[in-house]
Amino acid sequence: MLAEAARAAVLRKVPLARILHAEYGVERENLLAALRNHYQCASIEYDERLPIPPELLAGLPGSRLAQSGWFPVIKDADGTVVIAACDPSDAAMRSEVEEFFGPAPFEFRVALPDAIAWFIQDFLHDKPGLLIGTERTGLAFWRNTMAQWRTRLACYRTDLARARTALTFVRTGLALAAISRTFLSSERFVVHSFLAYGVLGVGLFLFFGALPTYLRVRRSRMTPPRHQTLVEVSGATLSFLENYQDLEQTEGEKKTKETMLARLGDLLGNYCTILYPSPASRERTHLARERNVLAAQRTIAGCYRTIYSRARTGLAFIRTGVSFVSLGIGLIGYFGLGFKSFFDAMLIVIGLLMIIDGGLWYLPVRKEQAELPRTRSAVLAG
């Protein structure tokens, strides 16, 4: 078995230990025990909780360490630097260690190749001191970033709900004003002028009372969170995925979509899978990645909820505008032109403005809506 595994390792250019562990089921503990006996030295496992001093990491080239198969992991109180190495007996590797750290006392411990790769990946992915030596710190940073974006999107949706509420009062006020105009002009249905003007007063009160609320919300579209938020949050999420996730592991090929948000949603579609790697500290990192992918999915879902909320607001304005244009035309057609037709013309103008404003709310997000699957079966089919 060992000879066969060795041939496979040479042909595939991968470490022998990886072949033995992944394909022949040899436990990592047994591999490390065999390596300890072979090199007559202690062994060390990957652990992202190791407090590696930043001075040991400064200036270390990750690619060169990966090629040579070593990594500094501990600095004792007496100045001894503990080196994790795939082959502690390699003279070239020892010379390279002295090149970086000088003639300091060293202790070499054997480690599996993937442990060396994990050390390099976690402790050298940013400048020493900027992160606390672990990948989970960077992952936590991105979770906080995406949570902040979701909060901003939630604020945006709240503003849109306020706009729709104000629109309801505006619509009610104009409807009452139209009823008052009908009372004052109708010859078949006689109503006391006090009642007609009272209805008009209530309508104008509702209209002018709600209009400032809507105008404030409309002005807020020019300040964060604004339309560009959808693009910015997509870019931030994509940056996280490129830095901390292996997107090539996603399964299945999907048709490329036109918008950034839709493409980003496809990238996440099949990624989430609970992993149970060894050692246990590595499992915590994978679970942290899992939480980040789920956070990215929630962020994208928040983007789509905001898109639909914005579209719903625009359609509400368009619907109301069409109603008032129709009402104004109907009043002119029924009562004819006259002094009170000024009110009918105002209804038509206000309705047209609502239609235009509703289009400004709705049209920018129409492209994103077109990229969404229409049915559950379409989602499952990918």
Side-chain angles (χ1 to χ4, degrees), residues 167-188:
L167 174 63
T168 301
F169 281 99
V170 169
R171 185 167 59 236
T172 303
L174 289 176
L176 291 175
I179 292 173
S180 173
R181 186 256 192 271
T182 304
F183 284 162
L184 293 173
S185 302
S186 177
E187 297 179 355
R188 300 177 182 177

Side-chain angles (χ1 to χ4, degrees), residues 240-254:
F240 149 70
L241 290 171
E242 289 175 343
N243 282 281
Y244 293 103
Q245 305 295 329
D246 185 4
L247 296 180
E248 295 179 357
Q249 293 182 4
T250 55
E251 298 178 358
E253 295 184 359
K254 297 186 177 182

